Amino acid sequence: AQRVTQPEKLLSVFKGAPVELKCNYSYSGSPELFWYVQYSRQRLQLLLRHISRESIKGFTADLNKGETSFHLKKPFAQEEDSAMYYCALSKNYGGSQGNLIFGKGTKLSVKP
Amino acid sequence: GAGVSQSPRYKVAKRGQDVALRCDPISGHVSLFWYQQALGQGPEFLTYFQNEAQLDKSGLPSDRFFAERPEGSVSTLKIQRTQQEDSAVYLCASSLRQLTEAFFGQGTRLTVV
């Protein structure tokens, strides 16, 4: 079965500290993976996708097929990074980004 | 419009009441998705439209849930005979076409009492 697991409900770090939000997936094929972010009182928005291999707001994520992981990392957390982060898997190979399976989310809190 | 618009933002329904939730996608977006997000959970896929065609409704939890997009633009999610377990935030998303970024609306928070 296709599944996305985010083991941490809450992650609290101090400003300037490194942060890693964990995501593991289960998928019987070649996955397309994404990270979405939801800031307080804002809508869910795409942060980055694995196929783009890009860095957005200092965040990066590398797909590790051997460990079936797609952890989100940032070397120096900022207070404005505080938000809810969701890892998501595209339901069908080559499918639209909208047709997604989401994890339960991790709330990141960056303290001053 | 500036983005995906959903209405109402909040809805309180008595158990057994029918409700209709509206989604206005970004103009020109072909693909439209509905998700249900229960408290403390991630969004769960309900259904997908490409233009007016409903291509996937595998996530609809029961036959009380019905979605339509008759002209390939605005979509309505209808829930008949609401039950307490239907309480959730209902999210709509649209994308220009397949394989492009999906943009989410603010959601409708439905509370069934």
Side-chain angles (χ1 to χ4, degrees), chain B residues 1 9 29 31 38 41-42 47 55 57 93-94 106 110 112:
Chain B
R9 290 290 312 279
H29 277 198
S31 300
Q41 305 293 317
T47 187
L55 299 187
K57 53 182 181 179
S94 71
Q106 292 273 39
L110 172 65
V112 181

Side-chain angles (χ1 to χ4, degrees), chain A residues 43 86 91 94 98 100 104, chain B residues 4 35 37 41 58 99 104:
Chain A
R43 60 191 69 197
Y86 294 95
K91 188 177 178 182
L100 298 162
K104 292 186 177 183
Chain B
V4 178
Y35 288 84
Q37 186 172 20
Q41 305 293 317
S58 62
L99 305 181
F104 281 80

Side-chain angles (χ1 to χ4, degrees), chain A residues 9 32 36 38 41-46 49 86 91-92 94-105, chain B residues 3-5 31 33 35 37 40-43 45 48 56 58 91 95 97-102 104-106:
Chain A
K9 289 189 71 173
E32 291 187 57
Y36 276 78
Q38 188 168 26
R41 297 189 190 87
Q42 294 188 27
R43 60 191 69 197
L44 199 60
Q45 58 186 280
L46 178 66
R49 67 200 84 173
Y86 294 95
K91 188 177 178 182
N92 302 301
S96 167
Q97 287 189 43
N99 206 12
L100 298 162
I101 298 170
F102 285 87
K104 292 186 177 183
Chain B
V4 178
S5 178
S31 300
F33 308 83
Y35 288 84
Q37 186 172 20
Q41 305 293 317
F45 171 78
Y48 161 55
D56 187 347
S58 62
L91 297 170
S95 63
R97 56 186 181 278
Q98 271 207 331
L99 305 181
T100 60
E101 180 180 350
F104 281 80
Q106 292 273 39

Side-chain angles (χ1 to χ4, degrees), chain B residues 6 12 15-16 21 25 29-31 45 65 72 76 78 91 93-94 97:
Chain B
Q6 292 186 244
V12 178
R15 196 185 321 175
L21 312 179
H29 277 198
V30 167
S31 300
F45 171 78
F65 286 72
T76 303
K78 297 179 179 178
L91 297 170
S94 71
R97 56 186 181 278

